[in-house]
């Protein structure tokens, strides 16, 4: 049955209103994630033995490592911006430069696309700031070449970083776990890389007792079956 002309006109008007509202919402979302619009940084330090337990075929797992840089993340007081710019690839020479801290091309490229593009910095300056943040933190020596499983607690992990890194407080550090196993330590800085309290949505996520997997010798990379290819993705 054909709709009366008035009904058709009303339907067209409603469609137009919905389209305008959707466009306004998208515009608002884009402006809230414009590059450089953030409050503070998180330096995320991943415990590589834990990552490699789940992703043994990753490039970073070819050599035994302790803490590596997962990323340097622009943060809002609540939440964070992401994927604010073009998906350009990081050049090989910059990947090579970052390899002591971020030992995987997939990691470097993924972190630039998701977090670096929201920093308001060009690619080179963003990764120079990753190095700057890393130099600000002193990793406790007992974590650098740990050969046996360590049993500890969130408080002890935080205390060791606080003792060695000037300006850190308990509010500046958040410890993340997978079950009882240490996965990551996150350290919060202001935009000038001075330690500051983390936002309210950044908190410890571990049980009372924390286990830390040991750093061992070279990891043997398993060949995937010909019919199946794995892909390691960092977020």
């Amino acid at each position: 049955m054909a709709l009366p002309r008035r009904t058709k006109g009303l339907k067209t008007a409603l469609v137009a209103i919905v389209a305008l509202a959707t466009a306004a919402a998208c515009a608002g979302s884009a402006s809230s994630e414009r590059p450089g619009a953030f409050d503070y940084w998180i330096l995320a330090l991943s415990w590589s033995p834990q990552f490699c337990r789940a992703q043994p075929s990753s490039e970073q797992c070819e050599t035994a490592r302790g803490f590596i840089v997962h990323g340097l993340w622009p943060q809002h007081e609540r939440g964070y911006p992401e994927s604010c710019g073009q998906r350009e690839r990081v050049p090989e020479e910059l990947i090579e430069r970052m390899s002591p801290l971020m030992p995987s091309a997939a990691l470097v490229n993924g972190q630039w696309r998701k977090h670096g593009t929201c920093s308001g910095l060009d690619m080179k300056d963003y990764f120079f700031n990753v190095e700057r943040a890393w130099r600000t933190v002193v990793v406790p020596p007992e974590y650098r070449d740990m050969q046996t499983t360590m049993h500890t607690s969130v408080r002890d992990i935080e205390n060791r970083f606080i003792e060695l890194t000037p300006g850190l407080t308990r509010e500046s550090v958040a410890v993340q776990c997978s079950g009882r196993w240490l996965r990551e330590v996150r350290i919060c800085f202001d935009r000038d890389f001075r330690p500051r309290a983390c936002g309210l949505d950044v908190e410890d996520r571990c049980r009372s007792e924390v286990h830390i997997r040991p750093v061992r010798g070279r990891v043997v990379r398993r060949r995937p079956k010909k019919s199946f290819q794995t892909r390691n993705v960092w977020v």
Side-chain angles (χ1 to χ4, degrees), residues 14 27 41 55 66 73 80 83 97 101 125 132 160 165 178 200-201 235:
L14 287 172
W41 297 103
Q55 300 283 349
W73 304 339
Y80 57 90
S83 304
R97 177 188 175 104
L101 306 185
D125 284 342
R132 177 184 179 187
R160 290 297 290 138
T165 302
S178 297
L200 295 177
D201 56 342
V235 297

Side-chain angles (χ1 to χ4, degrees), residues 155-199:
R155 179 171 290 271
D156 286 343
I157 294 168
E158 291 176 343
N159 282 345
R160 290 297 290 138
F161 277 90
I162 291 167
E163 288 167 8
L164 296 173
T165 302
L168 280 189
T169 65
R170 200 169 299 286
E171 290 73 29
S172 308
V173 185
V175 181
Q176 311 283 302
C177 291
S178 297
R180 293 187 180 275
W181 297 95
L182 176 67
R183 177 169 54 86
E184 197 157 272
V185 174
R186 297 178 180 176
I187 299 175
C188 299
F189 296 100
D190 67 18
R191 293 184 58 135
D192 295 317
F193 294 98
R194 295 183 296 256
R196 58 149 278 175
C198 299

